[in-house]
Amino acid sequence: MNVGLTLATTGRVLTQVRHDPRTIGLLILVPSLLLGLMAWIFTDTPVFGVVGPALLALFPFIAMFLVTSITMLRERRSGTLERLMTLPLGRVDLLLGYTLAFGALAIVQALVAVGFAVWVCGLTVAGDAWLLVLVALVDALLGTTLGLMASAFARSEFQVVQFLPALVFPQVLLGGIFVPRDRMPDVLNAISDWLPLSHAIEALQTVSTDATGTGTVLRETVIVAAFAVAAIVLGAVTLRRTTP
Amino acid sequence: MMNSAIEAVDLVVHRGRRDVLRTVSATVPAGSVVGLLGPSGSGKTTLMRAVVGVQRITSGTLTVLGLPAGHPRLRSRIGYVSQTPSVYDDLTIRQNLTYFGRIVGAPAADVDRVLDEVDLREEQRALVRDLSGGQQNRVSLAAALLGSPELLVLDEPTVGLDPVLRRDLWDLFRVLASRGTTLLVSSHVMDEAQRCDRILLLRDGALLADVTPAELLESTGTSDADDAFLALVGSAR
Ligand SMILES: Nc1ncnc2c1ncn2[C@@H]1O[C@H](COP(=O)(O)OP(=O)(O)OP(=O)(O)O)[C@@H](O)[C@H]1O
Ligand SMILES: [Mg+2]
């Protein structure tokens, strides 16, 4: 691990993103717009109060997953990854560099999305709104690290998109947005315990409904962070310097 | 100072089910310019990838600058230009070089030096995706020159360049070699072979010849490199 090389990579990735306004839009604005749309659809019903926090986990997660995995895939396909593998850059430096870059964007994204949900969409928050920001941030980082890992198993942008139904949608269905997890059949409930998004959604729902739930929120957030770290480690293991 | 920069002994590389390199034994003397020639699909890129440590080797030994190929300490001593330009097309030339320069730990002034060497100083603030193919190739080459590595492995670096630029780059290669850099350069252009100190000729993953340009012409009884290539590749068929 080398901090200088990691930060150089972070700076490089952020410069690339800066040259691409559409990606910035997808990361920063689209999650808020979708939240706004949901709030509008459910005007005059209590539904948004229930699903709003969960959506705060969902949209940033998916946006980060897509952008990160495609950026990393382009690195693979353009030959720059091969060049980097011949240079004195550690594999962990590369992955951490990416994570820090998208983590910085995730901070902006979380602030905008939470601010928008609370002030514009009128999402009620029983607990501390900063906790919402924290959970949304960790959740977006999870999207980033899973995206980095998934890109190792994809050969084209099309295959990256195929991971959405395979990896992401089951987590959405089992995450407790449609049916609270404790009311699911036992088997599904047990499976959902092992899906990181379930924990992110649980944390966000706890912040918004329970002013005394900080302990639960932090525990769930640590679980999400553990998944993110595991994804980086797996990503580093699957990233090989030599190819057959 | 060792006298061979690259030494392959009975090198075998399989890719998938194909034998891409079949017991290749060859040496590249330190401080020389060695041309790697051969028909398309003969294994030139595979051999170069093995030298820079990104190609898994099936058997045999490959020693680079005194260390086994792929050794971590080699990573700051070798510059590699892949066959297709490997730079970020959504960064400017200068941003690309600054990043790669930091990775190899090159002094900051190196960016300007390599920009001059590949004659791209004027365009340095252009995004790589807005450049012509030949310009993109030169950005990729410039990135490999950062930090003045001891060994340069260049996979068809002059493709898509006009004759003037090609001559300038070959002049640059000769200057680098005169300062002690070793260059392994693959090419399809036979007149470039004449400017090498030695020529390695691959066909179907086997080494056909390891000769000087003069010996190549002499042994084939031809007067130009294109004919020599045709004669050698054809006669072994
Ligand atoms: N990723 C791969 N998987 C399996 N086989 C491969 C792969 N890449 C190349 N090959 C095979 O290896 C052989 C040698 O390829 P290589 O790229 O080394 O040739 P080359 O001499 O560089 O050709 P060219 O002059 O066209 O660049 C070819 O027959 C090719 O089919
Ligand atoms: Mg090739």
Side-chain angles (χ1 to χ4, degrees):
Chain A
M1 246 213 75
N2 178 317
V3 180
L5 298 187
T6 303
L7 292 180
T9 304
T10 301
R12 185 264 294 173
V13 173
L14 285 175
T15 314
Q16 284 180 287
V17 173
R18 221 178 57 217
H19 287 143
D20 183 5
R22 266 204 256 182
T23 298
I24 300 179
L26 175 65
L27 288 180
I28 310 295
L29 297 180
V30 169
S32 296
L33 292 178
L34 289 174
L35 276 173
L37 182 62
M38 288 301 263
W40 194 11
I41 291 174
F42 293 112
T43 323
D44 300 330
T45 72
V47 175
F48 186 70
V50 180
V51 299
L55 300 178
L56 215 41
L58 205 57
F59 297 144
F61 173 82
I62 293 180
M64 278 295 170
F65 178 87
L66 272 181
V67 170
T68 316
S69 51
I70 288 180
T71 314
M72 188 65 183
L73 187 77
R74 286 180 49 204
E75 178 109 59
R76 245 170 238 282
R77 281 157 58 84
S78 68
T80 48
L81 183 66
E82 182 177 88
R83 184 197 285 272
L84 290 176
M85 290 296 100
T86 70
L87 298 179
L89 175 73
R91 292 174 292 171
V92 173
D93 295 330
L94 177 67
L95 294 178
L96 277 185
Y98 261 91
T99 309
L100 286 181
F102 285 104
L105 292 167
I107 291 177
V108 181
Q109 182 193 58
L111 286 172
V112 171
V114 170
F116 191 81
V118 173
W119 286 319
V120 181
C121 306
L123 184 73
T124 51
V125 189
D128 190 342
W130 286 108
L131 273 180
L132 274 190
V133 176
L134 174 73
V135 182
L137 170 63
V138 173
D139 176 58
L141 278 176
L142 174 73
T144 294
T145 56
L146 283 182
L148 287 175
M149 196 183 80
S151 74
F153 301 98
R155 295 204 165 168
S156 63
E157 280 82 349
F158 183 51
Q159 287 188 350
V160 166
V161 177
Q162 288 168 350
F163 280 122
L164 280 181
L167 274 183
V168 178
F169 289 178
Q171 296 199 52
V172 175
L173 294 177
L174 294 171
I177 300 183
F178 298 99
V179 177
R181 291 202 297 132
D182 51 15
R183 274 196 257 141
M184 284 177 189
D186 288 347
V187 176
L188 295 184
N189 190 3
I191 295 176
S192 79
D193 279 344
W194 286 95
L195 301 177
L197 206 57
S198 308
H199 296 277
I201 292 173
E202 181 118 8
L204 290 167
Q205 284 176 336
T206 309
V207 183
S208 36
T209 54
D210 182 359
T212 60
T214 305
T216 314
V217 174
L218 291 181
R219 195 188 67 227
E220 298 292 314
T221 309
V222 168
I223 294 176
V224 177
F227 273 101
V229 172
I232 291 229
V233 172
L234 270 175
V237 172
T238 50
L239 183 63
R240 314 237 52 125
R241 269 187 205 272
T242 58
T243 55
Chain B
M1 182 86 206
M2 70 219 112
N3 36 27
S4 62
I6 303 173
E7 186 156 13
V9 180
D10 295 336
L11 183 65
V12 176
V13 172
H14 293 173
R15 297 183 86 166
R17 250 179 266 112
R18 292 187 59 110
D19 296 3
V20 175
L21 293 179
R22 300 177 291 156
T23 56
V24 170
S25 297
T27 51
V28 172
S32 62
V33 182
V34 173
L36 186 56
L37 270 60
S40 179
S42 56
K44 301 182 295 294
T45 297
T46 305
L47 179 57
M48 294 186 136
R49 294 182 74 244
V51 169
V52 300
V54 294
Q55 172 66 53
R56 203 168 300 155
I57 291 169
T58 309
S59 66
T61 57
L62 182 58
T63 310
V64 180
L65 302 173
L67 294 166
H71 192 284
R73 277 217 303 277
L74 288 174
R75 286 180 202 141
S76 50
R77 300 170 63 192
I78 307 177
Y80 173 47
V81 175
S82 52
Q83 193 164 350
T84 47
S86 48
V87 285
Y88 300 99
D89 65 0
D90 47 2
L91 293 182
T92 66
I93 297 178
R94 196 176 184 90
Q95 286 164 343
N96 266 290
L97 297 177
T98 306
Y99 174 62
F100 287 118
R102 282 177 73 182
I103 298 296
V104 300
D110 248 21
V111 171
D112 288 319
R113 174 181 66 85
V114 299
L115 277 172
D116 285 337
E117 281 174 344
V118 301
D119 195 20
L120 280 175
R121 195 189 260 276
E122 305 272 287
E123 294 86 350
Q124 57 173 301
R125 304 212 179 274
L127 286 180
V128 168
R129 64 164 167 248
D130 297 334
L131 301 175
S132 73
Q135 289 172 323
Q136 294 181 350
N137 270 333
R138 281 183 284 149
V139 181
S140 197
L141 173 62
L145 299 175
L146 290 161
S148 308
E150 294 159 58
L151 171 63
L152 283 169
V153 178
L154 312 177
D155 201 351
E156 304 191 19
T158 58
V159 166
L161 302 184
D162 61 73
V164 177
L165 267 172
R166 260 207 333 253
R167 189 204 57 208
D168 289 351
L169 281 186
W170 274 92
D171 288 344
L172 170 66
F173 297 163
R174 298 289 357 168
V175 170
L176 292 170
S178 71
R179 290 193 214 128
T181 307
T182 309
L183 291 96
L184 179 62
V185 187
S186 76
S187 174
H188 278 134
V189 186
M190 289 306 138
D191 58 294
E192 291 183 352
Q194 313 278 40
R195 303 205 54 180
C196 298
D197 298 314
R198 295 196 73 79
I199 295 171
L200 299 174
L201 193 62
L202 277 181
R203 195 180 74 99
D204 270 348
L207 190 68
L208 271 192
D210 175 357
V211 290
T212 63
E215 284 166 359
L216 179 68
L217 295 182
E218 197 180 321
S219 68
T220 52
T222 49
S223 59
D224 106 352
D226 268 327
D227 292 340
F229 181 79
L230 289 173
L232 256 182
V233 169
S235 71
R237 225 169 260 252

